[in-house]
Amino acid sequence: NSCVLVVPRARFLPVKTTDDLFAVQSDLFTVKHGSLRLSEKRTISPPVPTVKLGPNFRTVEEYSKRLPFGVPDLLELEHLTVSGDVHFRNHVVLKGTVIIVAEQGQHIDICSGSVIRDKVITGNLNILPH
């Protein structure tokens, strides 16, 4: 006695990993009349950027610790890869293709107000506001 229930994408977006959670919690989506909608402010393709978070972001506890102020602005992001001990502060904007890799035993802190476009960031550093 099985049945199939079809739920339109406008009502449901699967969140299976913290990669998915990162996109859904961002400014890419809004909730309108109980449905999750892609923001009209997103004007580039793909509709949802590729997000790949490393093992340091796998559990919700670790994920939340690294994003204490929420997810960065992703409206102009195409691809994001983050690996290692990376922390994001508030009002961070990511655009284009961004790759952030903190090597084993290293730490990267993306400071408040940072705007990162088409960059590869590696090592042990703090991105300072300017």
Side-chain angles (χ1 to χ4, degrees):
N1 283 341
S2 299
C3 69
V4 175
L5 177 63
V6 178
V7 179
R9 274 284 187 205
R11 298 223 29 223
F12 173 74
L13 187 64
V15 176
K16 297 178 182 176
T17 66
T18 53
D19 300 352
D20 300 331
L21 183 61
F22 192 87
V24 169
Q25 287 184 328
S26 76
D27 54 352
L28 290 172
F29 292 94
T30 59
V31 177
K32 188 172 184 179
H33 305 295
S35 294
L36 199 57
R37 305 251 184 224
L38 191 61
S39 172
E40 294 175 2
K41 295 177 184 177
R42 174 80 173 178
T43 59
I44 63 172
S45 284
V48 178
T50 300
V51 174
K52 296 179 182 178
L53 302 176
N56 291 56
F57 286 82
R58 287 294 175 239
T59 68
V60 172
E61 180 181 356
E62 284 295 317
Y63 172 90
S64 297
K65 183 172 86 173
R66 295 172 194 296
L67 298 158
F69 300 99
V71 175
D73 175 326
L74 306 181
L75 287 174
E76 296 181 44
L77 183 71
E78 295 169 25
H79 178 96
L80 173 67
T81 298
V82 180
S83 181
D85 187 13
V86 178
H87 293 255
F88 293 88
R89 301 301 172 213
N90 57 342
H91 305 296
V92 173
V93 179
L94 304 176
K95 300 179 179 189
T97 297
V98 177
I99 300 170
I100 305 170
V101 179
E103 300 295 337
Q104 184 71 29
Q106 305 295 309
H107 172 81
I108 295 177
D109 190 31
I110 308 298
C111 279
S112 299
S114 295
V115 177
I116 303 171
R117 176 191 295 273
D118 295 323
K119 296 284 184 210
V120 175
I121 299 171
T122 63
N124 182 29
L125 59 119
N126 291 325
I127 305 296
L128 300 173
H130 44 259

